[in-house]
Amino acid sequence: MHAFHQTLLPSSSIHHSLFLPNFTPSTIYPLPKPISTNVNSITNNDNDSDNEDLDHVKVIGNLIVAGGENLRVFEIREFIEYPQQQQQQQINYNQIKHEDGDNDNENRDQDEDMEEGEERLGDGFFDDGHSKREPVKYEIRRKLHLLAQHELNGTITGLSALRTIESSVDGLDRLLVSFEHAKMALLEWSRGAISTVSLHTYERCSQMISGDLQTYVPMLRTDPLSRLAVLSLPEDSLAVLPVLQEQSELDFIEGYARDVPYSPSFVLSLSDVSPNLKNMKDLLFLSGFHSPTLALLYSPIHTWSGRYQSVKDNFCLEIRTIDLSSGGTYPLLTSVKGLPSDSLYLVSCPSELGGIVLITSTGIVHIDQSGRTVGTAINSWWGYSTNLKNSDTTGQSENSKILELDGSKCLFVNQRDMLLFLQNGQTHQVRFEMDGRNVGQIKIDQSTSSSTTTTKIPPPSSVVITGDKSLFIASAEGDSLLAKINEERDIIPQNGDTQDDGAKNESKPKDDMDVDWDEDLYGEMTDTANSGLVNGHKAEATGPVSLSVSTYDVLEGVGKIMDIEFGIAATDQGTRTYPQLVAISGGSKSSTLNVFRRGIPITKRRRFNELSSSDAVWFLPIDRQSGPRFKDIPESERTTMLFSTERNATRVFALSNKANPEQIGRIDGKTLNVAPFFQRSCVMHVTPNEVTLLNDNGKPIQVVCPKSGLAPITSASISDPYLAIRRSDGSVSFFVGDTVARTISEVSLAEEGAETPKCQVIEVFSDTTGIYRTFEPSRSSGTVELNGKASTSRSNAIKQGQQSKMQLTQQQIKRLQDQEPAISIDKSSSLEHTMNSFRGTQWLSYLTKKGELQIRSLPDLKVVLQTQGLGSSAPTFTDDLVESQLREEEEIDDEVKQMVFCPIGKGSVRPHLLALHESGRLNAYEAQPRFTVDSSSQTRRSLAVRFRKVHTQLLPITGGVSINKLPYNIIPFENIEGITGAFITGEKPHWIISSESHPLRTYALKQAAMAFGKTTHLGGKGEYFIRIEDGSFICYLPPTLNTDFAIPCDRYDMDRVYTNIAFDPTSAHYVGASSITVPFQAYDEEGEIQLGPEGENLLPPTNQRSTLELFSQGSDPWRVIDGYDFDQNEEVLCLESVTLESPGTEGGYRDFIAVGTGFNFGEDRATRGNTYIFEIVETVGSGGQATGSGWILRLRAKDPARNPVSAISHINGYLLNSNGPKLYVKGFDDDQQLMGLAFLDVQIYVTSIKVFKNFILISDINKSFWFVALQEDPYKLTTISKDLQPVSPVVTDFLVHEGQLTFISNDREGHMRMLDFDPTDPDSLNGERVLLRTEYHTGAPVTTSKVIARRKTAEEEFAPQTQIIYATADGALTTLVSVKSARFKRLQLVSDQLVRNAQHVAGLNPKAFRTVQNDLLPKPLSKGILDGQLLSNFALQPLNRQKEMMRQIGTDAVTVASDLAALGGFW
């Protein structure tokens, strides 16, 4: 059997983060300024120019985050937020509305009826505002803006920053990434994407082949001046990569490529430097040294807490300089011995403070360059673990410091203050008080989270400073936080005066001699009305700084998934609605319940029977006096007219706030497009035969394009005041309207002496984001001058770059900005342009029959972009063609059916280009700003935009393109619950939406959609109309729905940590097992309590105690309505919904909740466990009504066990549970007790039990798995076969495909193994052992799995195959499905082509990443499981490359895309 592995939900855990000041050009060059769509901006241009700097968004740097195989690049954007801006805009809007609707007499009456004390507006030429103006209040905010996201072919183990020689030329930083198996890749940002500079591999060195890989922890470090990069290897070795920073170093190297920015790397064994350097714990580079200087933390001898009486303080610190210029010497600068045995990691100190900070589990130690140590304790275990002196001897008991630094992260935020982030979410400030030039004392303040109660600090996995007074807290368990650092200082009174003394002096009368003339002018110094101003200057705060953090932005993530469960949502009345998948994420502090849905639900508000047969609808915001008016909806979004086309007729409706619309007209013919025209006063209506301008009542005013003998119109694009139409023969016509004269005229698109080109599609669009800009053309003489400068600018820039190697200076930024061509500024002053300025810039785009995309600026119709990238489905394209480069006309296999330019996003939108092909292929390109030109020979204005493909998929078409009865159509929409995007109607409709910090997503609907349109006529901002198979409805988006992930979900933050979840199908309720951290209590064999060490501020050992909780459903879900508390030290290990025999029920079976627990008594007492059987029952009061919630947990049986019950399941009405090294089959006797029926001796510890019909798979932590069958007469468990290889599976599942059965095993290292049971094979020893067929590396280890039925159609009674859903430790959901042999061979050939021909980020080999190293086999078993991540890159390849690969295989791209679409999804 063959299988297909793919990712349903990409990993969102973050393990590594890095801030780079200048990784992308957007940090050097200013961002495009968005064009205001507010009507008030027309009259306030002068005022807006004064606040130009305040309104502009700027990029302060780049944030790089990585987790598992996922790498993301963000911009940190800083902007101004006005708290009262929305209210002021509404006031201005109401004023404009009243001014338009009132006459002069009403205006005079308003002036007479003004109340006393009311502000009067000035009516002079220079005074147009209030007589008293308050200062504008604003707040500086920062948000994350996603630039790129990549799934790499390797597990990322570290991130670091570098600046090479080329950084002095382009000003950009470089990124160094380390991967599993000792690999390093140098990456840079080039042409709008990540580009690979070099790849360095050390996986074949002796340390990796023969070293101890079990204890190997890779650490990537770079020198602050980018002179050196090191990667730790096993056996206490370092892989050293020298980086060149001067041109002389590059010229000195002989026999090596001159264009690489580094010298040959080498492996350094620390035992050759010093024999004592072993068991390395941490290392880091220090700043301020002439040569690269490395601090090494190591332990020459081992110890543990039981040997503290004899061996304590075994860690050492050495500071060594790496001097490669003298042949490789490593002189010792500082050596410190006797450091605490519980040392964790090192932190480099700022230059003013100097030295290194050592973090231990019991305290903090500062070590200066001379070796002097100063330490402070954070709990009383300090005295047990080290002999170092505690410097903080004052206030130890007052502070009551009981902190736990395991899993903590810390960093310096200024020269003498450090923030400490604990695993439980607490934040503490660490102060370094100086004694002269040395550190005298280290003080730890109380938690700073008390001052920021609204800021929730996640458990940190990485913390990094992100610019001025901000930081990023990455988390592997859920959401990550971009936070602001708040610094507050107290004002220290001078000359010993206090506020009380000042108050006394203020009360004394003053004579003439006491008069201070400065106070007479500027006010009294002690006057509170001066807001702290003293003689016109603010009093300077010189006291100690107090640090706190507040939220800038939250980067949402699922985090580590503990358990998953399929279920069905239910209403308050118990009605089952839709299926859902619940995933528990989190772990150390709290949990989040992620309720995933199979798509965006259609939440119906009311039925719209008037449009029950509509083929397409248009809700238009026409300016009509009788239209509905709502306070919260702007006038430009108030829909007042409705056009509905049905077969060969169109009905026109007038909308109001009434439920039923009023039909005001009927037009013969099918409508192709309708849109507002002439400032929303008219309607432009297009049919296949003519184009007509209608008034606000739907009556014709002017026939723009009358009926003629030309080919019928097939499509039209309208953007006031422009209109473009395309006919069936490919001819196009372009019309321009005059808003003042109310006339429309046709304009030719052809150049002089040429014909109008035949087009596939044509589109007129507007842009308000400001991204669509043009570069000024470069003069011919200027080109020579620019090229002349280019020859010498590189060497000059390298010389200048040595002065500032790590950060650009303002002079360098100015030089880089001057080298690039200027951005064109639209200086049109026509009345037409002024009236339509709030619409943004407008452009005309068309795709010719040759496949050439042209974009022209309006109104001058100048060509600003020519490319063939859209027609060829290129990954990226820009203005890169000239006339001489155009290819000859050739037959296009798959023409573009529809092309839409629309913004997509939530809050901050991004412009996109959506291209829909005849075959159903959908390509989505994001329009990204371009700051530099790729060529210096620009002879005309060039569009400063780069289109990058961000999504592609094949929409299914039943029966082929020729007989498609329900074609697809892209309909853009704006502001549906704050979401702007597009909706695709057709056989398989899709939502296309995005957000600022997440990539573009598409969500499919289960049933066909014939019509769609956004409407606000009922007063709702998030309402839309949709016609589906069930009827026509006004619907709305659920406000709690999260669309940031690949699967839409509802997220619920819980106060506790949950480890397991189960769904009871009878009551439609979920049951969860929570884990509460409690102080550990030790017992002896007789059950007596054992006392441990006693002392003040001792951090007590903790243990987990579980409770079982029943959750509510309906309108108030996930509220705990009942529970059960387990014993002390008892923790839930497994939780399942089981079906057991119950004689009292009608069918003989009943659903129960089975729980397996274990006791943790420590290492001195044997553990045991229990098996519980619960039932969810509904309680009824005396009056026949439910009391309270109506549902409770009832304990039916408790079965003690001598060992932990680690796995549980059910088979044929019997209960299966593990009991240490045994497996039991038990029956539920009279719904009261469990009776043993059969047992089987297994090995050590059962991790999972999976059942398929009468077969059982039992996986063991060390002895792989058993294939077992249950015999009922007599009761007996029979071992059919087993796996004899020593692997450690976490879960083992059945995979079924049309009568074939295979086993899928996943171990703790992330390896997936496919095994078969074949007694006819001689290697199976007559069936006693299963045969290994395939080994496949999945990446992150699997935590749990679920097997579901996979049906081709909903009418199938029996599912022909199964599908396995996996949850991983990195927060990903993956799936495995079986594949037919013919489809597998075809896709396997495609995979081989992609490995050889596709470009992979970081240069990593996808085939090597999936290969599992097995020393027991002569060659890896890599074939048998297809890599879905690799095959997803096929759709991103250009069409010519796809055709070349398919020509070698003997198939076509549509067939491959159909195969991938058939294997996708899981609902």
Side-chain angles (χ1 to χ4, degrees):
M1 187 186 297
H2 308 290
F4 175 74
H5 179 266
Q6 67 173 335
T7 300
L8 299 174
L9 179 70
S11 170
S12 57
S13 296
I14 300 177
H15 298 279
H16 310 279
S17 60
L18 176 67
F19 175 75
L20 294 178
N22 304 103
F23 185 65
T24 60
S26 59
T27 60
I28 301 176
Y29 307 96
L31 285 177
K33 297 181 181 180
I35 301 171
S36 177
T37 58
N38 188 9
V39 180
N40 299 326
S41 62
I42 301 176
T43 60
N44 294 334
N45 291 332
D46 295 336
N47 296 332
D48 291 343
S49 62
D50 298 336
N51 299 327
E52 181 178 358
D53 295 336
L54 292 180
D55 296 337
H56 185 50
V57 178
K58 64 179 181 180
V59 179
I60 65 171
N62 297 108
L63 178 67
I64 318 295
V65 299
E69 301 87 43
N70 186 272
L71 179 69
R72 287 177 281 177
V73 180
F74 293 91
E75 288 178 346
I76 302 180
R77 295 190 171 184
E78 186 178 84
F79 61 96
I80 303 298
E81 185 178 76
Y82 300 92
Q84 300 178 355
Q85 185 178 11
Q86 299 297 331
Q87 299 179 4
Q88 186 65 31
Q89 288 180 356
Q90 185 64 33
I91 293 174
N92 294 338
Y93 165 74
N94 292 332
Q95 291 176 355
I96 293 177
K97 181 184 69 175
H98 287 300
E99 289 173 1
D100 293 340
D102 298 339
N103 53 27
D104 296 337
N105 294 330
E106 293 174 342
N107 291 334
R108 285 193 295 266
D109 294 339
Q110 290 179 1
D111 199 39
E112 296 174 357
D113 296 336
M114 291 184 62
E115 298 179 359
E116 183 180 357
E118 186 175 354
E119 295 290 341
R120 185 180 300 275
L121 295 178
D123 56 355
F125 182 80
F126 295 101
D127 189 5
D128 290 331
H130 291 280
S131 58
K132 293 182 180 180
R133 300 177 181 177
E134 296 182 356
V136 179
K137 297 180 180 180
Y138 62 87
E139 183 181 2
I140 297 178
R141 302 288 299 172
R142 293 179 181 177
K143 291 186 71 68
L144 295 175
H145 182 86
L146 180 66
L147 289 182
Q149 178 173 343
H150 297 281
E151 292 289 335
L152 307 184
N153 297 307
T155 303
I156 300 174
T157 59
L159 301 174
S160 193
L162 272 182
R163 289 186 68 86
T164 61
I165 294 180
E166 294 298 327
S167 299
S168 301
V169 178
D170 55 21
L172 301 181
D173 300 322
R174 266 60 181 175
L175 174 64
L176 188 64
V177 186
S178 63
F179 300 93
E180 196 178 15
H181 306 302
K183 298 178 182 178
M184 287 191 298
L186 183 59
L187 309 177
E188 66 179 5
W189 190 265
S190 176
R191 294 178 181 249
I194 291 180
S195 177
T196 306
V197 178
S198 61
L199 176 65
H200 311 267
T201 62
Y202 308 94
E203 56 185 342
R204 295 188 178 182
C205 63
S206 59
Q207 288 84 354
M208 293 296 299
I209 295 176
S210 60
D212 183 13
L213 300 180
Q214 298 294 329
T215 60
Y216 167 54
V217 178
M219 292 178 286
L220 178 66
R221 304 289 187 266
T222 55
D223 176 51
L225 296 181
S226 298
R227 296 167 294 188
L228 207 65
V230 297
L231 175 65
S232 64
L233 299 177
E235 304 297 329
D236 299 314
S237 300
L238 299 177
V240 183
L241 177 64
V243 182
L244 305 180
Q245 294 295 334
E246 296 182 3
Q247 186 69 32
S248 59
E249 298 177 355
L250 187 62
D251 298 336
F252 180 76
I253 302 176
E254 296 181 358
Y256 202 67
R258 296 294 184 92
D259 57 347
V260 295
Y262 48 82
S263 301
S265 61
F266 60 94
V267 175
L268 173 64
S269 177
L270 294 180
S271 60
D272 298 337
V273 178
S274 174
N276 294 327
L277 281 174
K278 53 185 178 181
N279 304 322
M280 186 171 53
K281 182 72 173 181
D282 195 9
L283 75 160
L284 56 83
F285 281 95
L286 303 181
S287 60
F289 290 86
H290 182 268
S291 299
T293 302
L294 196 63
L296 303 168
L297 179 66
Y298 64 96
S299 58
I301 57 176
H302 289 294
T303 187
W304 64 293
S305 58
R307 296 185 61 196
Y308 278 175
Q309 297 294 334
S310 57
V311 179
K312 188 189 295 188
D313 297 336
N314 62 321
F315 270 88
C316 302
L317 176 70
E318 287 190 3
I319 301 178
R320 291 181 176 270
T321 296
I322 302 179
D323 188 5
L324 301 180
S325 60
S326 59
T329 59
Y330 315 98
L332 177 64
L333 300 183
T334 304
S335 178
V336 181
K337 299 180 179 180
L339 296 178
S341 306
D342 57 347
S343 299
L344 298 176
Y345 56 92
L346 299 174
V347 180
S348 179
C349 297
S351 58
E352 181 179 333
L353 184 63
I356 304 171
V357 172
L358 172 63
I359 305 297
T360 72
S361 60
T362 58
I364 300 176
V365 182
H366 178 267
I367 308 170
D368 61 14
Q369 297 179 8
S370 63
R372 178 177 175 270
T373 60
V374 177
T376 184
I378 52 94
N379 55 58
S380 295
W381 290 109
W382 171 274
Y384 290 86
S385 60
T386 182
N387 292 325
L388 288 180
K389 181 181 177 182
N390 181 14
S391 64
D392 190 8
T393 57
T394 61
Q396 178 77 350
S397 60
E398 289 82 2
N399 293 334
S400 300
K401 293 181 297 186
I402 307 178
L403 307 181
E404 184 178 0
L405 297 187
D406 290 325
S408 65
K409 299 293 179 182
C410 63
L411 77 171
F412 280 90
V413 296
N414 55 41
Q415 294 295 331
R416 297 182 182 178
D417 294 282
M418 184 173 67
L419 281 179
L420 180 64
F421 300 92
L422 304 184
Q423 191 69 17
N424 58 7
Q426 294 183 2
T427 305
H428 296 267
Q429 179 182 353
V430 182
R431 305 174 185 264
F432 292 84
E433 297 185 353
M434 305 300 293
D435 183 9
R437 301 181 61 181
N438 300 324
V439 175
Q441 194 174 6
I442 304 175
K443 289 188 176 181
I444 303 177
D445 293 348
Q446 291 293 328
S447 176
T448 62
S449 60
S450 58
S451 61
T452 56
T453 55
T454 58
T455 300
K456 182 180 179 181
I457 305 299
S461 61
S462 174
V463 181
V464 63
I465 291 289
T466 55
D468 183 27
K469 294 183 180 180
S470 69
L471 55 86
F472 180 75
I473 307 172
S475 178
E477 299 182 3
D479 298 343
S480 300
L481 180 67
L482 179 65
K484 176 184 178 182
I485 303 175
N486 303 308
E487 294 186 358
E488 296 181 0
R489 292 182 182 268
D490 298 330
I491 300 178
I492 299 179
Q494 299 180 359
N495 300 327
D497 295 336
T498 61
Q499 293 181 356
D500 295 337
D501 296 336
K504 294 178 182 179
N505 295 332
E506 183 181 0
S507 61
K508 295 180 181 180
K510 296 182 179 181
D511 53 16
D512 295 338
M513 298 299 294
D514 296 332
V515 173
D516 189 345
W517 297 110
D518 290 337
E519 291 187 1
D520 185 53
L521 291 174
Y522 303 108
E524 297 183 6
M525 291 184 292
T526 58
D527 189 0
T528 57
N530 292 331
S531 302
L533 297 180
V534 179
N535 291 336
H537 299 280
K538 189 173 183 179
E540 184 178 357
T542 58
V545 61
S546 298
L547 300 177
S548 62
V549 294
S550 58
T551 303
Y552 266 145
D553 193 11
V554 176
L555 180 60
E556 292 188 333
V558 175
K560 179 181 179 180
I561 299 179
M562 307 294 294
D563 196 12
I564 59 175
E565 178 67 309
F566 283 94
I568 301 176
T571 61
D572 295 332
Q573 292 75 26
T575 305
R576 314 297 170 91
T577 54
Y578 53 87
Q580 58 188 9
L581 172 63
V582 181
I584 299 178
S585 63
S588 62
K589 180 183 177 182
S590 61
S591 293
T592 301
L593 296 180
N594 305 275
V595 184
F596 295 100
R597 307 189 183 191
R598 61 183 179 185
I600 295 181
I602 301 178
T603 309
K604 305 170 184 176
R605 187 177 297 276
R606 61 175 297 270
R607 186 178 290 273
F608 209 130
N609 295 323
E610 290 79 5
L611 305 180
S612 59
S613 59
S614 296
D615 296 331
V617 294
W618 292 268
F619 292 85
L620 305 181
I622 305 302
D623 188 7
R624 302 179 76 249
Q625 296 296 330
S626 60
R629 296 180 181 271
F630 301 98
K631 180 180 179 181
D632 298 333
I633 300 177
E635 187 176 354
S636 60
E637 298 181 10
R638 297 177 183 177
T639 54
T640 57
M641 293 187 67
L642 166 62
F643 284 74
S644 171
T645 179
E646 305 164 3
R647 299 181 179 88
N648 294 324
T650 300
R651 293 187 294 167
V652 183
F653 295 88
L655 299 178
S656 62
N657 51 9
K658 298 180 181 180
N660 299 323
E662 177 188 358
Q663 182 174 346
I664 59 176
R666 179 184 177 89
I667 303 174
D668 294 334
K670 179 181 179 181
T671 299
L672 298 179
N673 198 358
V674 180
F677 217 74
F678 289 152
Q679 302 288 325
R680 300 189 298 107
S681 62
C682 303
V683 179
M684 184 63 69
H685 182 259
V686 182
T687 64
N689 298 323
E690 64 179 357
V691 180
T692 310
L693 184 66
L694 310 177
N695 61 9
D696 56 359
N697 290 321
K699 306 303 180 182
I701 300 177
Q702 176 185 352
V703 178
V704 179
C705 182
K707 297 181 181 180
S708 61
L710 300 176
I713 302 173
T714 57
S715 63
S717 177
I718 307 172
S719 178
D720 186 17
Y722 302 104
L723 165 67
I725 61 175
R726 178 188 177 273
R727 301 183 181 273
S728 59
D729 59 355
S731 61
V732 295
S733 301
F734 183 65
F735 300 88
V736 179
D738 189 343
T739 306
V740 179
R742 296 300 179 99
T743 59
I744 303 174
S745 59
E746 184 176 359
V747 178
S748 176
L749 298 180
E751 299 179 359
E752 296 182 2
E755 297 181 356
T756 304
K758 300 291 184 180
C759 297
Q760 303 179 39
V761 286
I762 187 169
E763 177 83 4
V764 183
F765 65 97
S766 61
D767 169 57
T768 59
T769 62
I771 291 181
Y772 285 89
R773 310 174 299 170
T774 56
F775 287 124
E776 289 284 1
S778 59
R779 302 177 182 177
S780 58
S781 59
T783 304
V784 179
E785 182 180 0
L786 183 61
N787 292 335
K789 287 184 178 180
S791 61
T792 59
S793 61
R794 184 177 185 275
S795 59
N796 294 332
I798 293 175
K799 294 179 181 179
Q800 297 174 5
Q802 308 308 315
Q803 302 174 2
S804 178
K805 295 182 180 180
M806 291 310 297
Q807 192 167 1
L808 289 178
T809 62
Q810 292 297 327
Q811 182 181 2
Q812 291 173 324
I813 294 178
K814 185 66 168 58
R815 173 182 59 82
L816 292 171
Q817 294 177 352
D818 293 341
Q819 288 180 354
E820 297 304 327
I823 298 295
S824 300
I825 301 176
D826 190 3
K827 299 181 180 180
S828 177
S829 58
S830 62
L831 182 59
E832 183 74 29
H833 179 269
T834 303
M835 296 180 65
N836 295 309
S837 60
F838 67 94
R839 303 180 186 275
T841 58
Q842 292 179 292
W843 311 81
L844 173 65
S845 174
Y846 55 85
L847 182 66
T848 65
K849 288 289 186 178
K850 297 181 180 180
E852 175 192 350
L853 174 66
Q854 285 193 12
I855 296 181
R856 299 189 178 191
S857 60
L858 295 176
D860 55 5
L861 289 176
K862 298 295 183 181
V863 177
V864 295
L865 181 139
Q866 282 182 289
T867 181
Q868 292 178 339
L870 180 64
S872 60
S873 296
T876 62
F877 64 86
T878 183
D879 184 22
D880 53 4
L881 286 184
V882 294
E883 294 295 335
S884 59
Q885 295 177 338
L886 296 179
R887 64 187 179 186
E888 297 296 331
E889 184 173 359
E890 60 182 19
E891 182 181 358
I892 298 178
D893 299 334
D894 189 11
E895 290 190 354
V896 176
K897 171 187 173 182
Q898 188 179 5
M899 179 176 62
V900 176
F901 292 82
C902 64
I904 300 177
K906 186 190 305 181
S908 177
V909 297
R910 314 184 193 195
H912 284 75
L913 165 59
L914 305 179
L916 180 61
H917 294 253
E918 292 288 349
S919 62
R921 185 171 71 250
L922 174 68
N923 291 330
Y925 290 87
E926 180 184 347
Q928 298 178 340
R930 194 157 54 108
F931 304 97
T932 60
V933 292
D934 302 330
S935 175
S936 60
S937 59
Q938 292 287 347
T939 58
R940 56 168 173 79
R941 290 170 56 198
S942 175
L943 191 65
V945 171
R946 185 183 305 276
F947 292 91
R948 185 173 66 90
K949 186 188 293 185
V950 294
H951 180 78
T952 181
Q953 70 177 102
L954 182 67
L955 302 178
I957 299 178
T958 304
V961 179
S962 58
I963 59 174
N964 185 20
K965 298 181 180 180
L966 188 58
Y968 291 104
N969 184 32
I970 303 176
I971 303 175
F973 63 85
E974 292 184 4
N975 195 17
I976 298 182
E977 288 294 342
I979 299 175
T980 299
F983 186 86
I984 302 178
T985 59
E987 179 183 349
K988 190 73 172 179
H990 282 75
W991 291 87
I992 305 177
I993 55 181
S994 177
S995 63
E996 192 165 9
S997 57
H998 293 82
L1000 184 138
R1001 311 288 191 189
T1002 60
Y1003 303 114
L1005 271 66
K1006 296 296 291 185
Q1007 51 182 322
M1010 283 66 76
F1012 176 88
K1014 182 211 171 184
T1015 178
T1016 59
H1017 72 281
L1018 296 180
K1021 287 186 177 181
E1023 294 180 346
Y1024 62 93
F1025 166 81
I1026 187 172
R1027 182 193 165 211
I1028 53 178
E1029 297 174 354
D1030 297 340
S1032 300
F1033 304 93
I1034 296 292
C1035 307
Y1036 66 95
L1037 289 178
T1040 60
L1041 186 67
N1042 189 309
T1043 56
D1044 290 336
F1045 303 115
I1047 308 175
C1049 68
D1050 294 320
R1051 308 191 71 198
Y1052 301 90
D1053 294 330
M1054 312 301 289
D1055 296 333
R1056 292 184 176 181
V1057 175
Y1058 291 88
T1059 57
N1060 303 85
I1061 192 170
F1063 177 75
D1064 180 57
T1066 302
S1067 62
H1069 281 73
Y1070 288 90
V1071 177
S1074 66
S1075 181
I1076 305 173
T1077 301
V1078 296
F1080 174 73
Q1081 188 63 62
Y1083 297 90
D1084 56 13
E1085 293 295 336
E1086 287 76 19
E1088 297 294 334
I1089 297 178
Q1090 292 181 337
L1091 300 178
E1094 296 181 357
E1096 187 180 5
N1097 297 336
L1098 280 177
L1099 187 67
T1102 59
N1103 194 16
Q1104 305 299 319
R1105 179 181 180 181
S1106 295
T1107 61
L1108 193 66
E1109 299 179 357
L1110 176 65
F1111 298 109
S1112 62
Q1113 281 276 52
S1115 59
D1116 186 17
W1118 306 107
R1119 179 175 51 87
V1120 178
I1121 57 179
D1122 196 14
Y1124 180 85
D1125 295 332
F1126 294 98
D1127 294 338
Q1128 183 75 21
N1129 296 348
E1130 188 176 10
E1131 186 174 2
V1132 173
L1133 301 179
C1134 54
L1135 174 65
E1136 293 289 341
S1137 175
V1138 296
T1139 302
L1140 304 179
E1141 288 185 349
S1142 180
T1145 57
E1146 182 178 355
Y1149 296 92
R1150 188 186 299 179
D1151 295 322
F1152 298 92
I1153 300 296
V1155 183
T1157 65
F1159 287 84
N1160 183 6
F1161 295 118
E1163 55 190 20
D1164 296 330
R1165 183 182 175 187
T1167 183
R1168 56 183 177 86
N1170 289 312
T1171 302
Y1172 297 86
I1173 302 297
F1174 291 91
E1175 184 181 9
I1176 301 177
V1177 297
E1178 187 175 11
T1179 59
V1180 180
S1182 58
Q1185 296 181 356
T1187 60
S1189 64
W1191 298 93
I1192 62 172
L1193 276 172
R1194 177 175 295 176
L1195 179 62
R1196 287 294 188 180
K1198 178 181 178 180
D1199 186 26
R1202 299 180 59 184
N1203 297 283
V1205 181
S1206 58
I1208 206 164
S1209 187
H1210 63 105
I1211 180 172
N1212 299 337
Y1214 304 110
L1215 181 70
L1216 288 171
N1217 73 282
S1218 65
N1219 187 348
K1222 294 182 180 294
L1223 177 70
Y1224 285 94
V1225 180
K1226 297 182 178 181
F1228 198 28
D1229 187 16
D1230 294 332
D1231 295 347
Q1232 295 181 355
Q1233 61 180 355
L1234 293 173
M1235 296 184 58
L1237 302 178
F1239 74 95
L1240 178 69
D1241 287 324
V1242 291
Q1243 292 292 329
I1244 300 175
Y1245 185 85
V1246 177
T1247 57
S1248 70
I1249 301 174
K1250 297 300 176 70
V1251 176
F1252 178 73
K1253 293 187 176 180
N1254 205 42
F1255 301 107
I1256 308 170
L1257 274 181
I1258 309 167
S1259 57
D1260 186 83
I1261 192 66
N1262 280 325
K1263 298 296 182 180
S1264 195
F1265 67 90
W1266 284 259
F1267 182 39
V1268 181
L1270 174 64
Q1271 175 184 332
E1272 297 190 25
D1273 190 18
Y1275 292 104
K1276 182 181 180 182
L1277 287 172
T1278 304
T1279 302
I1280 301 177
S1281 182
K1282 66 175 62 175
D1283 182 23
L1284 302 181
Q1285 294 189 11
V1287 296
S1288 302
V1290 178
V1291 291
T1292 306
D1293 298 281
F1294 295 95
L1295 185 64
V1296 181
H1297 179 78
E1298 297 179 353
Q1300 298 181 356
L1301 177 67
T1302 190
F1303 313 123
I1304 307 297
S1305 173
N1306 289 269
D1307 61 15
R1308 293 182 294 176
E1309 297 180 356
H1311 301 331
M1312 179 183 292
R1313 304 164 70 242
M1314 178 183 291
L1315 305 99
D1316 287 341
F1317 172 69
D1318 187 5
T1320 61
D1321 195 310
D1323 295 336
S1324 66
L1325 304 179
N1326 294 326
E1328 293 185 3
R1329 55 172 292 187
V1330 292
L1331 301 176
L1332 178 64
R1333 300 300 187 187
T1334 303
E1335 289 183 309
Y1336 177 88
H1337 181 66
T1338 60
V1342 172
T1343 56
T1344 184
S1345 66
K1346 293 292 179 181
V1347 178
I1348 60 176
R1350 184 178 178 88
R1351 293 178 172 86
K1352 297 179 180 179
T1353 60
E1355 290 74 18
E1356 289 183 343
E1357 182 179 1
F1358 299 100
Q1361 58 183 345
T1362 61
Q1363 181 175 2
I1364 308 175
I1365 308 298
Y1366 293 107
T1368 69
D1370 281 341
L1373 290 176
T1374 62
T1375 180
L1376 189 75
V1377 295
S1378 58
V1379 185
K1380 294 182 179 179
S1381 179
R1383 178 175 289 172
F1384 173 83
K1385 293 179 181 179
R1386 182 165 54 246
L1387 294 180
Q1388 182 64 51
L1389 294 175
V1390 176
S1391 299
D1392 296 339
Q1393 290 287 335
L1394 289 173
V1395 171
R1396 292 191 296 266
N1397 299 325
Q1399 294 184 356
H1400 307 287
V1401 180
L1404 299 173
N1405 188 352
K1407 185 176 181 180
F1409 173 60
R1410 300 301 184 184
T1411 301
V1412 178
Q1413 187 67 30
N1414 193 337
D1415 297 334
L1416 302 178
L1417 299 175
K1419 65 177 182 178
L1421 300 176
S1422 58
K1423 293 185 178 180
I1425 299 179
L1426 296 171
D1427 185 3
Q1429 176 182 328
L1430 174 63
L1431 289 171
S1432 63
N1433 294 326
F1434 173 77
L1436 299 176
Q1437 305 301 314
L1439 287 181
N1440 54 358
R1441 187 176 299 174
Q1442 292 183 12
K1443 293 179 181 179
E1444 178 63 23
M1445 290 190 294
M1446 296 303 98
R1447 184 186 60 80
Q1448 301 178 19
I1449 297 175
T1451 182
D1452 58 275
V1454 176
T1455 303
V1456 174
S1458 301
D1459 291 340
L1460 296 177
L1463 297 174
F1466 67 104
W1467 261 323

